[in-house]
Amino acid sequence: MTTPFPFTAVVGQDDLRLALLLNAVSPAVGGVLVRGEKGTAKSTAVRALSALMPTLDVVSGCRFSCDPGSPDPGCPDGPHEPGAFETRAARMVELPVGASEDRLVGALDIERALSEGVKAFEPGLLADAHRGILYVDEVNLLHDHLVDLLLDAAAMGASYVEREGVSVRHAARFLLVGTMNPEEGELRPQLLDRFGLTVEVAASREPDQRVEVVRRRLAYDDDPAGFAARWAEEEAAVRARIVAARELLPSVRLGDGALRQIAATCAAFEVDGMRADIVMARTATALAAWAGRTDVLAEDVRQAALLALPHRRRRNPFDAPGLDEDKLDETLEEFGGSDDDDPDPDPGPDGPGGGGEGGGQPEPDDGPQGGDDTAARPEAGEDGQPQPSGAGEQSAARASEPFRTKVLSVPGIGEGAAGRRSRARTEHGRTTGARRPRGALTKLHLAATVQAAAPHQRARGRSGPGLVVRRDDLRQATREGREGNLVLFVVDASGSMAARQRMSAVKGAVLSLLLDAYQRRDKVGLVTFRGTEADVALPPTSSVDAAAARLETLPTGGRTPLAAGLLRAHDVLRVERLRDPARRPLVVLVTDGRATGGPEPVALAGRAARLFAADGVASVVVDCESGPVRLGLAGQLAGELGGTAVTLDELRADSIAGLVKDVQRRAA
């Protein structure tokens, strides 16, 4: 068994360590979401936490880790007789991004259930994680149907497996910890809210701290067991402190003054629902217990707000999580009245991983975390707009207010990743037919199975009421749902688009389409063209936020190399088809249709457009032409692409100018 990196040997990352320790003290806090760039010890710290978790008493032989003091009455391995139990370490179960539904929730033996009426159940990862830690690395890349199952289990504390009238239920209460790199896409709001706390991590910019990180990592890689032994004393001290804090937790008093501060803070920051209030109350209580106190102080409430509210402040997908600390301090001061009967707080003990005063923040190993993880942006001029980066360019125009767009979809039926845009054969959706299973049966088509087994009952010697079912009789249900596509935006940023009001409307339209892509679980890419060449502003990614950021700073000016833009987009699709062949593309070309620069620019653009038609790539041309005289070039270009053209006005879902139909391939 691999020796984990010691938790107390992690350098810096104070907020991350504190959030994990608070959940170890009080699992009711609701888990931790760790957001940050790659290589910042996210996974290392989470895996190290499992070694600090207190041991558990479990019923001997129970596959679902029932507590011998209060066993689950509905446990599939029950009922449990009082007596035998065993003590073991809390488990940390990792959920792979590509896991199947059966691996997560468990699987029923459908053949035995139909023929014998036996609930033969093989537990999944949710059962393994009961009373332990469920860790999801790259949680933002988890498939939607697995996210739904996690949401249900986290909300109910139990997992249900339902297959054709046969059901199994077992307890599934776990500490949910997820890590993610925001550059690869954001989480659905429903799952985001299920995480009690969130922390942002970034690599330190302090040379001394970075040196210490490298020194400890190299020492661990050379001798993991020896390195862990050198930190054993610190690990034992933190483990003992967690146990002491758990014992103290029921005695911690959350006074009316602290409750008023919590309620006022959540109201001031306009968070949705009441979950934030509850999580803040539990976090503040855990902070007091961690600090060795029996009363919650204002410092605990403040620290709880910094951990529990940032991810609940996102009003739309393009908002960065965060909290205005000045506003937080003003709110806490305004509602900072203390209870008259509150005793003087007891000072908390010092110890590894935290201090004894207000909030129990862990002590940094080598000084405060340094650096600035904000992206560099162009200098702003007097009007607040970014300054041009080169001659002949105009400053980037701000996008107009986004709007709800009409649905653009790819024709036919695909088999790509689950999403919400185009029709596809998926594991979830409406049943459209049946087939013989390829591999393990996952979705039984009962009527087709009975129909296949019925003619053979006499030959199989059926004598009772039960149906004699063999493996060859089983039929897999085929289902139709929706898939996510690769939406590649090809945006004309030439001088013909440079009028500020016009480019603002164009950016607003693209931003609206990006918001639609986020909601429909698409991958997105961005190609821009102006001057003499085309650039891949953003390779295909699941991070719609990154595409919106690139769009915001997009300058305009120069000629219109339309052919270059189309050829670059075609090359991007060729490469992406090798990486993800099942994901079908949708090209959204935003232009007025003009082509200038070089010999025969219009003819070159037409030949480039016909490459997409030859490959059967679905496309939409968003016609940005304006003014009383219209040349209709965008419509002609759409014909060459084998797609359709829509105006900016027709793109709106509430437009009365006309109905945007699904993308159609023009017959050759």
Side-chain angles (χ1 to χ4, degrees):
M1 182 176 179
T2 304
T3 303
F5 192 91
F7 186 85
T8 51
V10 175
V11 178
Q13 308 298 12
D14 303 327
D15 287 342
L16 170 57
R17 291 188 294 151
L18 177 61
L20 292 172
L21 289 170
L22 293 178
N23 276 273
V25 171
S26 176
V29 165
V32 186
L33 173 64
V34 187
R35 298 165 47 93
E37 58 196 27
K38 53 187 175 293
T40 50
K42 300 188 298 294
S43 300
T44 298
V46 174
R47 293 188 174 99
L49 177 67
S50 61
L52 299 179
M53 298 291 286
T55 57
L56 300 174
D57 291 335
V58 298
V59 174
S60 297
C62 178
R63 297 174 298 168
F64 302 88
S65 303
C66 279
D67 185 349
S70 56
D72 179 12
C75 177
D77 284 355
H80 298 299
E81 297 293 334
F85 69 91
E86 59 188 50
T87 301
R88 62 165 174 78
R91 291 173 179 159
M92 193 195 75
V93 178
E94 293 196 39
L95 172 59
V97 170
S100 66
E101 180 179 335
D102 285 347
R103 185 70 188 98
L104 177 62
V105 300
L108 284 170
D109 189 330
I110 301 296
E111 183 176 358
R112 292 188 63 191
L114 289 176
S115 59
E116 304 175 28
V118 176
K119 293 183 182 179
F121 181 67
E122 184 65 30
L125 295 177
L126 290 180
D128 292 341
H130 179 48
R131 303 177 67 199
I133 302 172
L134 180 61
Y135 171 47
V136 189
D137 194 14
E138 306 292 354
V139 63
N140 51 323
L141 304 183
L142 199 63
H143 290 173
D144 276 3
H145 67 284
L146 297 182
V147 170
D148 292 335
L149 294 170
L150 274 181
L151 289 175
D152 291 341
M156 297 182 294
S159 174
Y160 292 83
V161 182
E162 302 282 349
R163 296 285 171 82
E164 305 295 343
V166 181
S167 63
V168 171
R169 173 221 168 265
H170 64 83
R173 291 182 295 276
F174 46 82
L175 169 58
L176 180 61
V177 181
T179 57
M180 60 174 283
N181 185 345
E183 294 179 355
E184 297 174 338
E186 285 291 345
L187 279 174
R188 287 171 52 186
Q190 295 94 327
L191 183 58
L192 196 63
D193 189 54
R194 290 292 181 186
F195 286 96
L197 309 179
T198 185
V199 291
E200 296 277 341
V201 296
S204 172
R205 301 299 186 260
E206 293 291 334
D208 290 343
Q209 197 170 63
R210 295 175 74 97
V211 166
E212 185 62 23
V213 170
V214 175
R215 181 181 292 118
R216 293 186 187 183
R217 185 70 211 191
L218 293 178
Y220 170 77
D221 290 342
D222 289 342
D223 183 10
F227 183 82
R230 291 196 293 274
W231 290 87
E233 185 176 347
E234 288 82 354
E235 293 280 289
V238 173
R239 190 180 301 110
R241 188 173 176 186
I242 292 173
V243 173
R246 282 191 171 190
E247 294 174 350
L248 182 62
L249 189 64
S251 303
V252 175
R253 180 174 178 271
L254 183 65
D256 289 342
L259 278 173
R260 281 193 297 270
Q261 287 184 317
I262 290 171
T265 300
C266 292
F269 285 99
E270 299 179 347
V271 296
D272 296 331
M274 295 297 297
R275 182 174 284 115
D277 303 63
I278 297 170
V279 170
M280 274 191 65
R282 290 171 174 166
T283 304
T285 303
L287 280 161
W290 176 248
R293 290 185 270 99
T294 56
D295 285 275
V296 173
L297 303 181
E299 290 86 348
D300 301 324
V301 176
R302 186 182 192 279
Q303 184 67 57
L306 293 174
L307 293 172
L309 296 188
H311 60 303
R312 295 182 167 90
R313 283 280 299 144
R314 286 174 64 97
R315 312 312 297 177
N316 68 65
F318 307 132
D319 289 340
L323 213 60
D324 185 341
E325 295 194 32
D326 291 336
K327 181 178 179 180
L328 173 61
D329 291 335
E330 291 173 4
T331 303
L332 293 176
E333 184 177 354
E334 181 180 355
F335 294 88
S338 60
D339 300 325
D340 294 335
D341 56 345
D342 278 356
D344 291 335
D346 297 326
D350 293 330
E357 299 291 337
Q361 176 74 18
E363 297 172 359
D365 287 284
D366 295 285
Q369 184 108 350
D372 181 5
D373 60 350
T374 57
R377 297 185 180 276
E379 294 293 332
E382 294 180 359
D383 61 350
Q385 299 291 346
Q387 291 295 308
S389 57
E393 294 182 357
Q394 298 189 20
S395 59
R398 293 185 181 277
S400 62
E401 191 69 22
F403 52 84
R404 189 167 62 90
T405 67
K406 287 182 177 169
V407 180
L408 305 174
S409 60
V410 179
I413 301 179
E415 295 182 343
R420 300 180 181 178
R421 183 172 296 279
S422 305
R423 295 173 57 198
R425 286 180 285 271
T426 63
E427 289 295 319
H428 299 268
R430 63 185 181 89
T431 301
T432 58
R435 60 172 174 79
R436 292 182 181 274
R438 305 186 189 102
L441 179 71
T442 56
K443 298 290 182 182
L444 178 73
H445 194 296
L446 183 58
T449 298
V450 172
Q451 187 176 9
H456 308 290
Q457 296 306 295
R458 180 176 296 178
R460 293 173 182 173
R462 173 185 169 186
S463 58
L467 190 68
V468 181
V469 179
R470 302 282 172 80
R471 172 68 186 175
D472 290 343
D473 301 328
L474 299 178
R475 295 295 182 269
Q476 174 85 20
T478 57
R479 301 192 175 190
E480 182 178 309
R482 294 281 171 177
E483 68 177 359
N485 298 112
L486 166 60
V487 182
L488 181 62
F489 294 93
V490 186
V491 180
D492 184 350
S494 65
S496 65
M497 305 283 288
R500 184 166 298 279
Q501 186 175 1
R502 184 180 182 188
M503 197 61 196
S504 177
V506 168
K507 285 190 175 183
V510 178
L511 193 65
S512 303
L513 290 167
L514 283 171
L515 181 59
D516 182 69
Y518 167 81
Q519 295 168 339
R520 299 186 187 282
R521 316 303 291 167
D522 295 317
K523 290 180 71 173
V524 296
L526 179 62
V527 173
T528 64
F529 57 94
R530 62 187 176 88
T532 60
E533 60 184 13
D535 295 314
V536 181
L538 183 71
T541 175
S542 296
S543 178
V544 178
D545 293 31
R550 301 292 196 282
L551 181 70
E552 180 185 352
T553 58
L554 176 65
T556 56
R559 295 181 179 274
T560 311
L562 179 56
L566 291 172
L567 290 174
R568 180 59 63 91
H570 188 268
D571 189 56
V572 169
L573 293 184
R574 178 184 60 80
V575 174
E576 191 64 19
R577 192 176 293 116
L578 297 175
R579 294 174 177 169
D580 192 357
R583 190 181 291 266
R584 297 187 295 164
L586 171 63
V587 173
V588 179
L589 175 60
V590 184
T591 183
D592 56 10
R594 290 181 172 86
T596 59
E600 300 184 344
V602 176
L604 284 174
R607 286 199 291 271
R610 287 191 288 274
L611 293 175
F612 292 85
D615 290 343
V617 176
S619 60
V620 174
V621 178
V622 179
D623 186 358
C624 303
E625 191 174 26
S626 61
V629 178
R630 295 176 179 268
L631 302 178
L633 298 176
Q636 297 175 23
L637 184 61
E640 299 280 4
L641 286 165
T644 187
V646 296
T647 65
L648 289 174
D649 185 52
E650 291 171 340
L651 196 60
R652 294 178 178 270
D654 55 358
S655 170
I656 60 174
L659 178 65
V660 179
K661 297 180 180 179
D662 285 352
V663 181
Q664 297 179 351
R665 295 190 182 97
R666 179 170 294 183

